[in-house]
Amino acid sequence: MSDFSSIAPQYRQTAVLQKSAAERVFDLLAIGPADAVLDLGCGTGHLTNRIRQMTSGRVLGLDPAEGMIAEARRQAAANVEFQVGTAEELNLPAQFDAIFCNSAFQWFRDPPRALANGFAALRPRGRMAIQAPARADYCPNFRAAVDGLRRDPRTQSTFAHFHPPWFFLETAEAYAGLFRHTGFAVVSSSIEEVKQRCPPAKAFEMFESGAAAGYLNPACYEVPWPGGYLAAAREILARGFTRQAAADGLLDLVFFRIYLLARRP
C-alpha cells in the first residue's frame, strides 16, 4: 500500500520536488521573528523544523497521516509541535500569524471548508501561502507514464476503477477566486511551469514520493486489487519513464504549480 503513512520513512529523503518548491513559499510568506506559524500538511516535518529557525513564536505541524506525524515527532526540533489532523477539521481560531502550505493543497478533500478553517485560524492581517500542483496536466511526464496502466492487460481492467483523490484548478484566477470566496484578500496568484532534467529513475522516485499515494493506493480504487497488481504497476510505470528519456538518457520533467499568497483583512 502506497499511502502517506506507508511512505513516511522514506519521504524525508525522497521528497525532492516538495522541498525545492518550498523555497518560493518561504519567500512569499516572509515569516517574522515572532510569528506563530502553522505548517498545514507538514509531512515528516523537515520544513516545519526550518520554520522553527525563523521564528521564536509557536510552530505547529499538522498532517492527516499518522505515519508522517510519527516520523516528524522522531526528528522534531526543540519546541515544535506536531499533531495528526486535517485542514477540514482544523479548529484553532485566531492562533496564527502565518499558514505555510506546501505541496498539500491538492490533497484537501473539501478545499472551501479547509480554507474557511485556515482563515479562522489566522489573526487579523495574518497570511497564508500555498504551493501545489495545478491543472489537470499538472505533470505531463507522470500522466504519460500512468497511461501505461490503462493500456497494459495486466492492469487496465483494475485501473479503469481508479478514482483520482486530487483537487486541481486550471487557472491562477480560479485559485484566487476560491480564496476570495472565503474572505481572503489575495496578494498574488500565479501558475508557473517548472522544469527539471533528470534520469528516469529519479523521475520515478519523485513519482513515488507523492503521486503514488494516489495512483498506487488501493483506497483510491473502487474494486479490490488482484494479486500482483502493485508489482506490475510499478514495473509499467518505471518503463513509462524510461521511454520518455532522450538520447542522453535524461528526460525533461515538467510540473505546473500554483503559488499563492493571501491575507486575512
Side-chain angles (χ1 to χ4, degrees):
M1 183 172 181
S2 297
D3 62 15
F4 277 110
S5 283
S6 68
I7 66 177
Q10 297 81 33
Y11 187 82
R12 186 176 289 260
Q13 287 73 41
T14 60
V16 176
L17 291 169
Q18 293 86 342
K19 294 173 187 175
S20 62
E23 298 306 318
R24 181 72 175 279
V25 187
F26 282 128
D27 290 342
L28 287 171
L29 204 55
I31 295 169
D35 280 346
V37 183
L38 171 64
D39 184 356
L40 193 56
C42 65
T44 58
H46 173 78
L47 297 172
T48 324
N49 290 338
R50 280 193 58 190
I51 292 171
R52 172 78 288 161
Q53 299 169 13
M54 301 174 184
T55 177
S56 61
R58 181 186 184 189
V59 176
L60 170 64
L62 187 77
D63 198 279
E66 293 183 4
M68 288 288 189
I69 292 298
E71 190 71 18
R73 286 172 175 161
R74 278 194 287 271
Q75 305 190 54
N79 299 317
V80 174
E81 306 169 57
F82 288 104
Q83 295 179 12
V84 176
T86 69
E88 291 81 1
E89 298 165 345
L90 181 67
N91 184 23
L92 296 171
Q95 295 192 26
F96 298 97
D97 302 293
I99 297 176
F100 176 93
C101 185
N102 183 61
S103 293
F105 194 78
Q106 73 274 21
W107 293 101
F108 290 174
R109 300 188 311 273
D110 186 344
R113 181 180 175 187
L115 285 179
N117 291 343
F119 185 90
L122 288 171
R123 297 165 179 160
R125 302 299 298 165
R127 65 265 186 221
M128 179 174 180
I130 71 165
Q131 174 284 129
R135 303 183 5 175
D137 61 342
Y138 70 100
C139 179
N141 309 86
F142 283 9
R143 289 168 61 87
V146 167
D147 278 344
L149 302 181
R150 297 185 176 92
R151 296 190 304 267
D152 194 289
R154 294 173 293 171
T155 55
Q156 61 183 187
S157 61
T158 300
F159 190 74
H161 297 278
F162 169 72
H163 179 71
W166 303 288
F167 171 80
F168 297 127
L169 294 174
E170 294 301 306
T171 68
E173 179 54 34
Y175 281 96
L178 187 61
F179 274 75
R180 291 191 190 104
H181 184 74
T182 307
F184 280 99
V186 176
V187 178
S188 63
S189 180
S190 63
I191 291 178
E192 300 178 14
E193 183 183 64
V194 181
K195 291 184 179 181
Q196 179 176 346
R197 195 157 178 81
C198 65
K202 175 59 69 174
F204 187 33
E205 181 179 284
M206 294 179 187
F207 176 91
E208 291 203 307
S209 75
Y215 289 119
L216 300 183
N217 184 346
C220 295
Y221 287 70
E222 297 170 345
V223 296
W225 283 0
Y229 181 81
L230 179 59
R234 293 187 75 251
E235 176 190 327
I236 293 163
L237 289 163
R239 189 168 63 244
F241 287 112
T242 299
R243 287 174 173 166
Q244 296 178 48
D248 62 359
L250 304 177
L251 59 85
D252 288 316
L253 197 59
V254 176
F255 286 89
F256 295 99
R257 296 186 173 278
I258 177 72
Y259 296 93
L260 184 148
L261 173 65
R263 291 186 180 275
R264 174 172 181 167

